[in-house]
Amino acid sequence: MTISEKLYNQLQEVLNGEPWYGDPVYTILDRISFEAAYEKPAGSVHSIAGIILHMTGWAEEVMDRMNGMKAQLPVRGDWPEPGLPDEQKWKWIVEDIKLVNVNLAGFIQDFPEEKWGETVEGKDPGQTYEYQVTGLIQHYIYHSAQIALLNRMING
């Protein structure tokens, strides 16, 4: 199995497969009402909508790096503010992360196999393209658990 195939399969498993640790990202998102998406339970720093915007921004940043751009913070910012609760905007946020991940999956599939071990411009040695995508997948796992817990705090 190539690195591209391995990373593509891992991404798909985390997004909408059957990962061994629990529910995939999209299953968790399907359970979130727009009201819950914007709520910040006591002690929470971010809302679910804010976390999804953060995840989307970092996926875009990883794709920019795969396109040869120098590593930086996401163009949207690290933690974009989701604004006031809005049902249509929540639907857009969910659709946007799904579209970004379709694009990311395509980037992974088309990425030259010989480049996976190269260092990302602006990062320390060892911060390869493979490392970046693996880290993004881990980032998704972390935040999907955070989203699931926030939703449980909000909805009991």
Side-chain angles (χ1 to χ4, degrees), residues 128-146:
T128 63
Y129 292 104
E130 180 180 8
Y131 180 84
Q132 296 291 299
V133 173
T134 299
L136 182 67
I137 292 167
Q138 293 167 351
H139 187 242
Y140 281 2
I141 294 167
Y142 171 82
H143 284 304
S144 67
Q146 187 181 26

Side-chain angles (χ1 to χ4, degrees), residues 3 18 24 27 40 51 71 81 89 105 132 139-140 149-150:
I3 293 170
E18 295 182 14
T27 298
K40 287 184 192 175
I51 294 168
E81 196 48 53
K89 188 172 182 183
Q132 296 291 299
H139 187 242
Y140 281 2
L149 287 172
L150 284 171

Side-chain angles (χ1 to χ4, degrees), residues 22 34-35 42 44 60 77-78 93 108 111 115 127 135 139 154:
F34 89 90
E35 296 92 350
S44 297
E60 291 168 337
D78 191 16
I93 290 170
I108 291 169
F111 201 70
K115 286 190 69 173
Q127 296 258 348
H139 187 242
I154 294 164

Side-chain angles (χ1 to χ4, degrees), residues 36-56:
Y38 289 89
E39 191 171 327
K40 287 184 192 175
S44 297
V45 177
H46 302 290
S47 67
I48 292 169
I51 294 168
I52 297 300
L53 290 171
H54 169 77
M55 292 168 66
T56 303

Side-chain angles (χ1 to χ4, degrees), residues 4-5 8 66 102 104-112 116:
S4 295
E5 291 168 337
Y8 174 84
M66 292 172 76
V102 167
L104 176 62
F107 269 72
I108 291 169
Q109 287 178 311
D110 295 338
F111 201 70
W116 284 114

Side-chain angles (χ1 to χ4, degrees), residues 56-115:
T56 303
W58 278 104
E60 291 168 337
E61 173 59 22
V62 167
M63 285 188 288
D64 285 347
R65 293 174 186 187
M66 292 172 76
N67 265 330
M69 295 176 69
K70 188 174 180 180
Q72 61 181 9
L73 287 175
V75 172
R76 298 174 183 242
D78 191 16
W79 287 100
E81 196 48 53
L84 297 173
D86 181 299
E87 187 169 9
Q88 186 57 45
K89 188 172 182 183
W90 171 241
K91 288 177 183 177
W92 175 82
I93 290 170
V94 172
E95 288 172 13
D96 194 33
I97 193 167
K98 289 180 179 182
L99 177 59
V100 164
N101 283 305
V102 167
N103 293 334
L104 176 62
F107 269 72
I108 291 169
Q109 287 178 311
D110 295 338
F111 201 70
E113 198 66 22
E114 66 276 3
K115 286 190 69 173

